[in-house]
Amino acid sequence: MPERDSSVSAGAAFAAHPRATADLAAREAAAADRSGYVPASLPDAVVRCESVDDVVEALRLAHARGIPVVPRGAGTGLAAGASAHAGQVVVDVRGMNRILSIDPVEMVAVVEPGVLNAEVNAAAAEYGLFYAPDPASTAICSIGGNIATNAGGMWCAKYGVTRESVLGLSVVLADGRVLRTGRGTIKGVTGYDLTALLIGSEGTLGIVVEATLRLRPRPVRTETLAAYFPDVETAGRAASAIMAARIQPSILELMDGPTLDAVDRAEGTRHRELGGAFLLAQTDGFGAHLELDEIVRAVEPFATSIRRAADEGEAAALVKARRDAIPALERLGRVSIGDIAVPRNRLADAFAGLEEIAARTGVRIFSVAHAADGNLHPIVVVGPDESITEGPAKAALGEMFHLAKRLGGTLTGEHGVGLLKREWVAEELGETSIELQHAIKAAFDPGGILNPGKAI
């Protein structure tokens, strides 16, 4: 691969691409994601792709001239995985936003990467189907970004994360070649599982241009409850008790008292009056009501109050309260959304550890969690002019990752590593794993132009 000619800007090199722009507003809009990280400079250009050919041409140009490329979808990532700076070109695939087909018999959808998560579900609903991965940002996040980070969400309690719902991919490699992985059938084991490898690779191995998604039948019945507790550690113990009772909720979400306060102020609700923590549980299927009875029995010894939703409207309001958490906290300042995961029987210990970190560092930490899979989102909130990448905020984030490790967990459950967590990756993975992952990166991207400096 030729060396980069540093006398020629990336923007000038991409001037021939029909979808490229060096417009200041476009570069400002494409520089950062939703993580709170602010790059020190702007990318040189943005390529607004509308077809596979647009992506192929962009990567051929980048490969020929050694220009770093940052793939971008809706920009809702929370680890600075889509952040870009001077010398780089952003390849934006939001314009590739078509649902190409839905097969209601095979329960499969084929979509482009810019399609929003909620749009897939709206289209699938017409056939009595749904797409299981549902991040809290479902209304604004795109499928390509979900694949890049192996995103999860509330329904992952029962149906798994993105990796369990993607059957195949079409990906443009660093040199512009198009790779097809996986299959359109539910089962298939021919060759290495490159689909699973690409999911969660944060745009460092290729740019997704098409995905074959697995859909599922919409549940015939759902049942929902909200339980309130004196404090978040007690709520964590209740969540662990549900899992220990061998109950499989479709949703099991937790919010601490400070987060409830923020939601109440933003939405005019009154959850905080009912307790110091909130647990949302939902079951689905023909036996949904029986499973919810078992959840009630599991949490009764811990809860101060339990409320079963009387109808779909009340159930939707309870789910909305959880989805409102991050937007409510964003009103309080700049946020950095953590993403640690721990064994499910250590939830209470994790919450206690987070409270201790907040007290010691003086940093405000608000906690929400996908409790059924042990995935906590401790959210640091600082002033609008304060940094999340240095000082007390960064110290608190580092302590969170070490807390997760001490409890047998991981530094990221579903948001990815991006830029914000790279310095802790080697500590978790170990030298042998890092060496192998660098070798994989080199096989896919020998010039190192795809999302450099991210993930590993």
Side-chain angles (χ1 to χ4, degrees):
M1 176 177 174
E3 291 186 7
R4 171 114 181 252
D5 180 357
S6 59
S7 67
V8 179
S9 76
F14 269 75
H17 195 294
R19 300 290 180 191
T21 177
D23 176 73
L24 177 61
R27 292 187 294 130
E28 287 176 337
D33 55 18
R34 207 176 173 197
S35 65
Y37 174 78
V38 180
S41 56
L42 299 179
D44 288 12
V46 180
V47 184
R48 294 168 168 166
C49 299
E50 295 183 2
S51 68
V52 176
D53 287 344
D54 289 341
V55 180
V56 168
E57 179 62 20
L59 287 181
R60 283 177 177 168
L61 277 170
H63 174 72
R65 305 199 181 197
I67 296 171
V69 167
V70 177
R72 182 181 181 86
T76 60
L78 297 169
S83 63
H85 56 71
Q88 299 180 330
V89 169
V90 173
V91 175
D92 185 336
V93 297
R94 285 179 302 167
M96 300 175 67
N97 55 10
R98 295 179 300 161
I99 296 175
L100 301 174
S101 66
I102 293 181
D103 185 332
V105 176
E106 288 299 311
M107 295 187 288
V108 165
V110 180
V111 307
E112 292 182 325
V115 176
L116 299 184
N117 185 291
E119 291 173 340
V120 175
N121 263 309
E126 297 181 16
Y127 301 95
L129 303 171
F130 76 106
Y131 178 62
D134 69 324
S137 56
T138 178
I140 57 173
C141 65
S142 60
I143 293 297
N146 292 173
I147 291 168
T149 61
N150 194 25
M154 292 194 233
W155 284 334
C156 295
K158 184 172 184 178
Y159 297 103
V161 294
T162 297
R163 185 172 284 118
E164 281 73 60
S165 289
V166 177
L167 299 175
L169 296 170
S170 181
V171 178
V172 181
L173 299 175
D175 59 5
R177 289 179 296 162
V178 177
L179 168 70
R180 294 190 178 276
T181 74
R183 68 278 173 193
T185 56
I186 300 300
K187 295 176 71 174
V189 293
T190 307
Y192 294 134
D193 191 352
L194 298 181
T195 305
L197 175 63
L198 287 159
I199 297 168
S201 63
E202 302 186 50
T204 62
L205 302 180
I207 299 179
V208 173
V209 291
E210 184 180 292
T212 302
L213 307 179
R214 180 180 185 177
L215 306 177
R216 301 172 190 271
R218 292 197 73 83
V220 297
R221 178 174 181 168
T222 61
E223 297 284 338
T224 307
L225 71 74
Y228 298 86
F229 304 86
D231 52 60
V232 71
E233 291 92 341
T234 305
R237 286 192 288 272
S240 297
I242 291 171
M243 306 316 297
R246 303 293 187 266
I247 306 164
Q248 183 63 76
S250 53
I251 290 177
L252 190 64
E253 297 289 309
L254 194 154
M255 292 194 288
D256 71 358
T259 306
L260 292 177
D261 276 330
V263 171
D264 286 347
R265 286 196 298 272
E267 302 299 326
T269 48
R270 302 175 66 179
H271 294 287
R272 188 66 174 87
E273 295 177 8
L274 299 173
F278 164 94
L279 191 65
L280 169 70
Q282 192 169 84
T283 55
D284 65 21
F286 289 100
H289 59 298
L290 299 176
E291 286 188 303
L292 202 69
D293 289 344
E294 293 302 314
I295 288 178
V296 170
R297 279 191 274 274
V299 303
E300 273 180 331
F302 306 94
T304 54
S305 66
I306 298 173
R307 181 170 126 208
R308 292 181 78 140
D311 52 40
E312 290 185 6
E314 188 176 354
L318 293 172
V319 173
K320 182 178 182 297
R322 168 60 182 88
R323 293 197 189 279
D324 287 338
I326 292 174
L329 293 173
E330 288 175 331
R331 296 188 181 192
L332 304 180
R334 179 178 291 177
V335 304
S336 178
I337 303 171
D339 178 40
I340 60 174
V342 301
R344 293 172 294 182
N345 63 353
R346 305 302 300 273
L347 279 168
D349 297 328
F351 287 121
L354 291 170
E355 290 184 331
E356 191 273 332
I357 291 169
R360 180 157 34 82
T361 62
V363 173
R364 288 192 297 171
I365 299 177
F366 301 76
S367 293
V368 298
H370 304 307
D373 45 23
N375 187 190
L376 294 86
H377 294 315
I379 303 168
V380 169
V381 179
V382 300
D385 299 321
E386 294 181 77
S387 173
I388 62 167
T389 55
E390 57 187 24
K394 181 178 179 181
L397 289 171
E399 298 236 13
M400 291 176 196
F401 303 145
H402 292 129
L403 169 67
K405 184 181 179 184
R406 288 197 305 273
L407 296 176
T410 177
L411 65 85
T412 177
E414 60 183 3
H415 293 170
V417 172
L419 280 177
L420 296 185
K421 305 169 191 172
R422 274 198 66 203
E423 67 184 86
W424 296 283
V425 169
E427 182 180 344
E428 177 172 328
L429 295 182
E431 183 178 341
T432 301
S433 179
I434 289 290
E435 287 178 358
L436 285 172
Q437 295 195 42
H438 284 163
I440 291 168
K441 166 72 171 171
F444 276 80
D445 178 21
I449 64 170
L450 285 173
N451 222 6
K454 313 289 177 55
I456 60 166

